[in-house]
Amino acid sequence: MTRRAEFEMGLFVILQSMFLMSLCSSQEFLPEISPDTSPQPFLPFIAPSPMVPYINSTMPKLSGLCSLNFSTSESLIQTTSHNCWTVFAPLLANVMCCPQLDATLTIILGKASKETGMLALNRTQSKHCLSDLEQILVGKGASGQLNKICSIHSSNLTSSSCPVINVDEFESTVDTAKLLLACEKIDPVKECCEEACQNAILDAATNISLKASETLTDNSDRINDCKNVVNRWLATKLDPSRVKETLRGLANCKINRVCPLVFPHMRHIGGNCSNELSNHTGCCRAMESYVSHLQKQTLITNLQALDCATSLGTKLQKLNITKNIFSVCHISLKDFSLQVGNQESGCLLPSLPSDAIFDKDTGISFTCDLNDNIPAPWPSSYQSSASTCKKPVRIPALPAAASSQPRKFFPSHIFHEKNLTDTFEIRYVYSLLISQVSTMKE
C-alpha cells in the first residue's frame, strides 16, 4: 500500500543568522557535480535546540512613488513571502513561489483598476511599484532574488504590447459575460483538460490584441501580453475568496504539462545499458548515479515527475536503449524529485496548487508525498510527453497523510569548514538542500 506523509520543513537559526546567507552565496563550499559520479553528502552541522524561527522582519524602505495600495492585499503578500521564503525560494520557484507571486501582482493590479480605470501601470510607476513590493516581501522573509528566480521585470506590470488597458474599452471589446461564465467557478482538475476558462481568456486576449494599430507577423507575444490584462480584469470580477485559487489553478495547468528538470549528458548510461543488457548491475549503477543528479535540481509535482519520466525514457530510447531499464532498475516517480536525507524518500508536491505555511514554533512547512512508489512508466517507442489528461498512471492530486503524526527525519551529515561554529537546525530536511541553494546563488 502506498504510504504518504505530511512533510514539514522548518529552518531555524542561532548564534549568527548571517551564516545562513553567507552559506547560500559561497561557491567555495560547493562539491563538484558530474553525472558520471556519485554525489557526496553535503549538509551543515545540525544541533537540535529550542529556537525562534528565522524571519527577516526588517522594515522595508519604500520609494513613496508607487500608487498601489499594498495594505489591501496583506494576506496575499504574506502567503507569497512564505512560498518564496529565503533559501527555499529556488526549490519552490516552479510550483509555489513564482505562480503565487504572479497571482499576487495580477490581483493587486486588478484592485487598483477599480480606482484608476486602467489595467496596467506606466513604465515609471511599474519600476517603483515592483521595487516596493520586493522590499515588502524581503521584509517578511522572502528571498531578495525573486526578480531573477521568477524572471519578474517591471514590464510585467505594464501593458507591454497589449493595446487595451482601459477598463471601459476592455468591456466594450470583450464578451465579458462569456468570459465570466467560463471562469467564475472552475474545477482545477477538469479545467486542465477541458480548458474552458483558458480558451475564454485566449479569445478575449485575441480580441483586444486586434485593436493594435501595428500588425505583427507573429501575434503570439502580443496575445500573451493581453492575457495578463484579461487576468487582471478577471481578478476584479471573481469572488474575492476564489480569485487566487482560480489564477493558481490556471497556472498549474501549464506547470504540470512540462518537466522542469535539466537532463545532463547520458553517455555513461548509454555505455552500460546496451540493448543486450548483459550487466544489470552496471546499468543500474549508471542509472542511479544519473538520477541522483536530477534529484538535486528542484521540487516538482507528481504529474511533473510523470512528464520527467517520459522525457528521460524517450531520450534513452533515442540512444537505442529499448529495454525498460526503469523496471529493471526499479526507478519510481519519487526518484525524480529532491530526496529526504538518508531515507531515500522523494518529495513530490501535489499537482493542485498548494502553499507553504509558516508556524512560529515549527517554521515553514509544506505538504509532500513522501513514499509514493509508483513505478516510472517506460514510454512506447519514441513517444512524446504524454498529455496531462492522458496519463498512463493514476496519481492523486493531493497526497494524504499516512497518520496524524508526521514522519520526522534528522539527517546526520556533519560539515566543518574554516572553524565555523555557527549552527542551525533543519527539521525534515533534504540531503544536499543547502548545496542546491548555494548553487543557485540565492
Side-chain angles (χ1 to χ4, degrees), residues 421-439:
T421 58
D422 309 81
T423 60
F424 60 93
E425 178 186 5
I426 301 177
R427 296 177 51 207
Y428 322 115
V429 73
Y430 294 105
S431 177
L432 294 169
L433 175 61
I434 300 301
S435 65
Q436 283 312 292
V437 176
S438 301
T439 302

Side-chain angles (χ1 to χ4, degrees), residues 16-222:
Q16 299 178 10
S17 61
M18 291 304 296
F19 169 60
L20 177 62
M21 302 311 296
S22 64
L23 176 64
C24 296
S25 60
S26 174
Q27 291 299 304
E28 61 185 310
F29 296 155
L30 298 182
E32 284 193 11
I33 295 176
S34 167
D36 293 340
T37 58
S38 298
Q40 296 301 311
F42 182 87
L43 200 68
F45 174 73
I46 297 169
S49 64
M51 292 172 280
V52 178
Y54 172 79
I55 287 293
N56 181 355
S57 57
T58 57
M59 288 295 292
K61 297 179 180 179
L62 305 185
S63 67
L65 300 172
C66 174
S67 60
L68 297 179
N69 186 356
F70 295 114
S71 62
T72 62
S73 302
E74 175 65 25
S75 177
L76 271 175
I77 293 174
Q78 192 70 65
T79 299
T80 306
S81 70
H82 296 162
N83 287 3
C84 301
W85 186 75
T86 54
V87 295
F88 295 130
L91 304 178
L92 295 172
N94 178 259
V95 180
M96 286 189 193
C97 174
C98 299
Q100 175 64 24
L101 178 58
D102 185 62
T104 298
L105 285 170
T106 298
I107 294 170
I108 290 175
L109 290 170
K111 286 182 177 180
S113 72
K114 292 182 177 181
E115 297 181 4
T116 65
M118 307 296 285
L119 293 162
L121 301 178
N122 61 40
R123 291 184 180 180
T124 302
Q125 275 275 305
S126 66
K127 291 179 181 179
H128 294 307
C129 291
L130 181 59
S131 176
D132 283 358
L133 179 59
E134 289 174 338
Q135 291 296 318
I136 293 171
L137 287 170
V138 169
K140 292 180 178 294
S143 167
Q145 301 293 323
L146 293 184
N147 58 337
K148 296 179 181 179
I149 294 171
C150 297
S151 299
I152 292 290
H153 309 286
S154 58
S155 59
N156 294 104
L157 283 67
T158 68
S159 62
S160 295
S161 63
C162 187
V164 176
I165 60 172
N166 181 278
V167 173
D168 292 335
E169 185 180 4
F170 178 94
E171 293 179 349
S172 66
T173 305
V174 172
D175 187 343
T176 56
K178 175 184 176 183
L179 179 59
L180 284 174
L181 181 63
C183 297
E184 62 183 352
K185 292 182 180 179
I186 70 167
D187 181 304
V189 176
K190 292 182 179 179
E191 173 60 31
C192 292
C193 297
E194 299 173 358
E195 301 185 359
C197 179
Q198 295 169 81
N199 288 333
I201 291 173
L202 175 61
D203 289 344
T206 302
N207 286 339
I208 61 176
S209 72
L210 297 176
K211 302 276 285 187
S213 57
E214 178 188 356
T215 58
L216 300 176
T217 304
D218 183 3
N219 205 38
S220 59
D221 288 340
R222 177 170 287 159

